[in-house]
Amino acid sequence: MDQRNKTTIRARRATTSFDTASPRERIEGKPLLIRTARRGVTGAFNFWIFVSKLITHRLRWYPIVEPYVGYGTPDYSRLICRTTLSPERGRSGLAVRGIRSAFKVPASRTQVKISIDGARLRTVQVGSSEVYDQPDRGREQSDEFALSDSSGYLDLVAEHHLSPGQHEVSYQVSRRAPVTAPLYIYPSSTPLGVISDIDDTILVTQVPSLWRAAYNMLLLNPKKRVSVPGMSVLYNKIRDLYPHAPFFYLSTSPWNVESSIRHFINYHGFPEGPLLLRDLDPRPKDFIPTGVEHKLEFVDQLMADFPNMKFLLLGDDGQKDPTTYATVARRYPGRIMAIGIRQLSPRESIGAVAGITATQPMPVTDVPVFYGTTGSNLMNTMLPFLAASQGSRRR
């Protein structure tokens, strides 16, 4: 039954083992120097939030919702948004310079009203730690609202019966008009999904060079961001071979720059799909997760969300994608169809940070691995393999 015929949707907060520290990993068990450093970072972060909120309070800013693209199966979906403080005329989803996005002030513990295709979302209690659905005496139906966390993030799992395809999620906070984001529902029987890195795979960022990467992400006009040559053509060729394949874009960039990356993907004609970014707030288990930890966490999540789906992994050799993807192939035998690695040019590798190898070799793996400096190079080797795989699957 389509969700349009239902009046409400049940939802709960998404949880992960990465958010819970074991006794061995708790900060109390760390050496004094590490404890002091972590508490210093956390204290500085909290102090910046405190001062920023005082300033925005004086400026009479109030919460606004930054909606992010959701995804899921016909039975459930993952919805993510963030509440931040903004001027009265502020708008969501604008492509602004990264430095402006990086200093957005979170609107902590903000009530958000959510609906999917007009069907209201109601939160449910999943344990004593859940606070967003506690009775609110000031409202007649408090379960109609979800409460963002201390950093403004709201990450929910909604249970429903939705038909495959694109749906619309609406988010609204007090004093603001509703804002919307697409929700992509993928059939459980979909044979192939694509997990793609962003930085230096489809978007020229020059991550191995710290200063160039910082300039490109923080100061460069979003409209001037450059696409890796031929990659949008390659991705659309893959979509032509597998019309129903979902594209998941995975990056170590923070959620703050989601709108800029989203505009880049649309402007350069890449297939639409969810962005899987990260927040930089200290976490209980691994404090501030590394890029590898972040990518493995989301890959694990996608493997669990779509247990019958195989994946094509696309990345570059400028960070640790070769090692990360080889780890994924070993961890999930039979689930990875192929790996594509875009090789950085010597010019892009110049200025690598000390201790970081500009390019990395691919560890030994049983999964086919294809290399190329551009999308055209990868097309010459990868597409024939994918076409042959598609042909054998149909027979």
Side-chain angles (χ1 to χ4, degrees), residues 320-355:
K320 295 184 178 179
D321 289 345
T323 303
T324 303
Y325 287 169
T327 300
V328 172
R330 290 192 297 268
R331 185 178 296 181
Y332 297 97
R335 297 290 305 277
I336 306 303
M337 177 177 287
I339 297 173
I341 297 295
R342 187 247 165 176
Q343 297 169 303
L344 268 64
S345 66
R347 181 179 179 182
E348 291 174 302
S349 303
I350 293 175
V353 182

Side-chain angles (χ1 to χ4, degrees), residues 144-202:
E144 290 186 358
F145 295 85
L147 194 71
S148 60
D149 64 17
S150 59
S151 299
Y153 291 103
L154 185 56
D155 188 354
L156 297 176
V157 175
E159 300 174 357
H160 48 57
H161 295 287
L162 287 173
S163 58
Q166 182 175 333
H167 299 263
E168 183 179 82
V169 186
S170 173
Y171 300 90
Q172 185 175 19
V173 294
S174 177
R175 302 175 63 184
R176 300 282 189 182
V179 294
T180 60
L183 167 63
Y184 295 102
I185 298 299
Y186 305 114
S188 302
S189 59
T190 303
L192 180 71
V194 180
I195 299 176
S196 170
D197 180 50
I198 295 175
D199 303 312
D200 290 319
T201 299
I202 65 172

Side-chain angles (χ1 to χ4, degrees), residues 118-130:
R120 293 174 297 175
L121 184 147
R122 295 182 183 274
T123 58
V124 296
Q125 184 99 1
V126 185
S128 59
S129 63
E130 302 294 340

Side-chain angles (χ1 to χ4, degrees), residues 13 66 110 135 144 161 163 173 194 212 222 228 239 242 245 311 318 365 372 380 385 394:
R13 180 176 295 175
E66 294 288 344
T110 300
E144 290 186 358
H161 295 287
S163 58
V173 294
V194 180
R212 291 182 183 180
V228 174
R239 184 176 59 180
Y242 294 86
F311 287 93
T365 175
N380 293 334
F385 170 80
R394 288 176 176 174

Side-chain angles (χ1 to χ4, degrees), residues 48-49 52-53 56 61-66 81-86 103-112 146-154 173-174 176 281:
W48 175 80
I49 296 294
S52 299
K53 287 184 176 180
T56 53
W61 290 12
Y62 53 93
I64 193 172
V65 179
E66 294 288 344
C81 69
R82 192 186 189 198
T83 54
T84 60
L85 296 172
S86 177
F103 289 100
K104 288 181 178 178
V105 182
S108 307
R109 309 296 179 189
T110 300
Q111 289 183 324
V112 185
L147 194 71
S148 60
D149 64 17
S150 59
S151 299
Y153 291 103
L154 185 56
V173 294
S174 177
R176 300 282 189 182
D281 304 337

Side-chain angles (χ1 to χ4, degrees), residues 250 252 290-297 299 313 316 319-332 336 339 341 360-363:
L250 182 59
T252 55
T290 65
V292 173
E293 289 174 325
H294 164 73
K295 290 182 178 180
L296 288 176
E297 175 183 351
V299 170
L313 306 181
D316 64 88
Q319 290 181 285
K320 295 184 178 179
D321 289 345
T323 303
T324 303
Y325 287 169
T327 300
V328 172
R330 290 192 297 268
R331 185 178 296 181
Y332 297 97
I336 306 303
I339 297 173
I341 297 295
Q360 294 188 347
M362 170 59 71

